Amino acid sequence: MKLVGSAQELSEICQRLRAQGRQIGFVATMGALHAGHLSLFEAARHRCDAVVASVFVNPTQFDDPEDLRRYPRDLEADAEVAAGSGVDFLFAPEVADLYPGERVVSVRIGGPLAELYEARSRPGHFAGVATVVAKLLWLVGPCTAFFGEKDFQQLLVVRRVAEELCRGVEVVGCPIVREADGLAMSSRNVLLSAEERRAATVLRRALSAADLAYRSAERDAAVLGERMMATLASEPLAEVDYAAVVDGSDLSGIGEAGPGSRAIVAVRIGSVRLIDNAALGDL
Ligand code: AMP
């Protein structure tokens, strides 16, 4: 595996790969790699013949400076993990390389995806995501980009970025990888204390409550949302941001749940904000 520090060098490498007719698979990460990230590398390895990954803690997508400051970073460990997981090129740029000088170019998104749920709770977050993803897709020029369903709203935003700005890039959504007790893997999980870590299983339990009710033929989305809320209320450390059952194609509200409906949840536990989601009937 080759570690690439500059955008210019990455661009040249990827041009060469494409000229050789290699199909590039791309995975964007913010590092502190875990099994969730590795599942994306594996999917890319399986589908493509060159795997490019990035490790970049993108400052423009953080709405909270403290969250950015303490975000876990360990490039040496990440490079070792990526090298053992089929990544051919690991791009780890400095902030100034992707955002030179004054930030004059950015991607703005509109519509409900820019207003609902994560967008409402984290102002500016998806503009930061859309901007960095557009920059990375332009640099790499992959055939296929792999993103996790863990960040479900982000996946919908990225699909729109690819469709509208980077036609020809196929965006593949990959399933959520969980810990043995059901907690979705996340780089932020290491920031939880032992007590908070135990409490964090409540997200998955809330999703399971909605899933169970759905399997028992409950179709009223409001009732399914209440089941989630009741489970979350049983955990004193959980401060709920939202819990709802929505249309999985665009996160719009629904009356009746059915195939394609998605349960989504965001909770703050201590100082750590956690998100999770599941397709109903899928847990
Ligand atoms: P991050 O480093 O958190 O920005 O995540 C980089 C990519 O990995 C994103 O596409 C995430 O959705 C994906 N990802 C993060 N955690 C998981 C997980 N537990 N399972 C599957 N994909 C994940």
Side-chain angles (χ1 to χ4, degrees):
M1 186 193 78
K2 182 173 169 56
L3 189 60
V4 182
S6 99
Q8 183 59 40
E9 190 188 357
L10 182 74
S11 170
E12 285 164 15
I13 287 169
C14 292
Q15 276 174 39
R16 224 177 300 130
L17 290 171
R18 287 194 305 273
Q20 291 164 2
R22 307 265 295 272
Q23 310 264 307
I24 302 176
F26 176 60
V27 179
T29 84
M30 297 204 300
L33 298 179
H34 52 67
H37 298 118
L38 301 198
S39 73
L40 305 186
F41 299 157
E42 250 168 55
R45 184 79 273 164
H46 188 69
R47 297 254 313 235
C48 305
D49 47 28
V51 178
V52 176
S54 61
V55 167
F56 180 63
V57 181
N58 174 38
T60 63
Q61 73 186 68
F62 283 79
D63 54 310
D64 172 3
E66 181 57 15
D67 188 27
L68 174 61
R69 189 193 63 76
R70 66 179 188 160
Y71 197 87
R73 296 164 168 89
D74 189 347
L75 182 57
E76 225 174 280
D78 286 346
E80 209 168 300
V81 169
S85 310
V87 173
D88 298 308
F89 299 94
L90 186 67
F91 178 48
E94 298 293 331
V95 171
D97 196 10
L98 282 194
Y99 295 106
E102 291 284 305
R103 287 175 198 164
V104 293
V105 176
S106 68
V107 176
R108 201 183 66 82
I109 66 159
L113 282 179
E115 285 160 14
L116 294 167
Y117 302 109
E118 287 304 289
R120 174 176 306 215
S121 299
R122 308 184 65 190
H125 171 64
F126 286 124
V129 167
T131 300
V132 80
V133 167
K135 282 172 185 259
L136 290 168
L137 292 182
W138 269 100
L139 267 176
V140 174
C143 292
T144 317
F146 299 82
F147 286 83
E149 289 184 349
K150 159 74 173 37
D151 301 278
F152 193 73
Q153 193 170 355
Q154 168 175 280
L155 175 61
L156 299 182
V157 168
V158 166
R159 282 195 199 286
R160 292 306 298 264
V161 170
E163 273 166 32
E164 293 190 33
L165 295 180
C166 312
R167 265 170 214 232
V169 180
E170 183 193 2
V171 174
V172 172
C174 300
I176 300 173
V177 178
R178 298 176 179 280
E179 302 282 359
D181 64 3
L183 177 65
M185 291 199 179
S186 162
S187 302
R188 288 187 177 86
N189 291 351
V190 299
L191 302 172
L192 297 165
S193 69
E195 197 191 356
E196 290 166 349
R197 171 65 186 77
R198 273 191 298 275
T201 57
V202 76
L203 283 89
R204 160 59 190 253
R205 284 186 277 122
L207 297 174
S208 295
D211 187 61
L212 201 67
Y214 181 78
R215 286 170 193 265
S216 317
E218 178 60 67
R219 291 291 179 269
D220 186 325
V223 172
L224 294 170
E226 282 161 19
R227 296 288 163 85
M228 296 173 76
M229 281 300 202
T231 306
L232 294 168
S234 71
E235 175 45 70
L237 291 186
E239 191 190 312
V240 182
D241 183 349
Y242 59 77
V245 169
V246 297
D247 184 328
S249 69
D250 60 3
L251 305 189
S252 61
I254 50 173
E256 293 266 297
S261 300
R262 202 127 195 142
I264 58 173
V265 58
V267 167
R268 190 171 285 278
I269 298 199
S271 61
V272 184
R273 191 168 177 282
L274 299 172
I275 58 172
D276 203 347
N277 69 87
L280 289 182
D282 209 27
L283 274 178

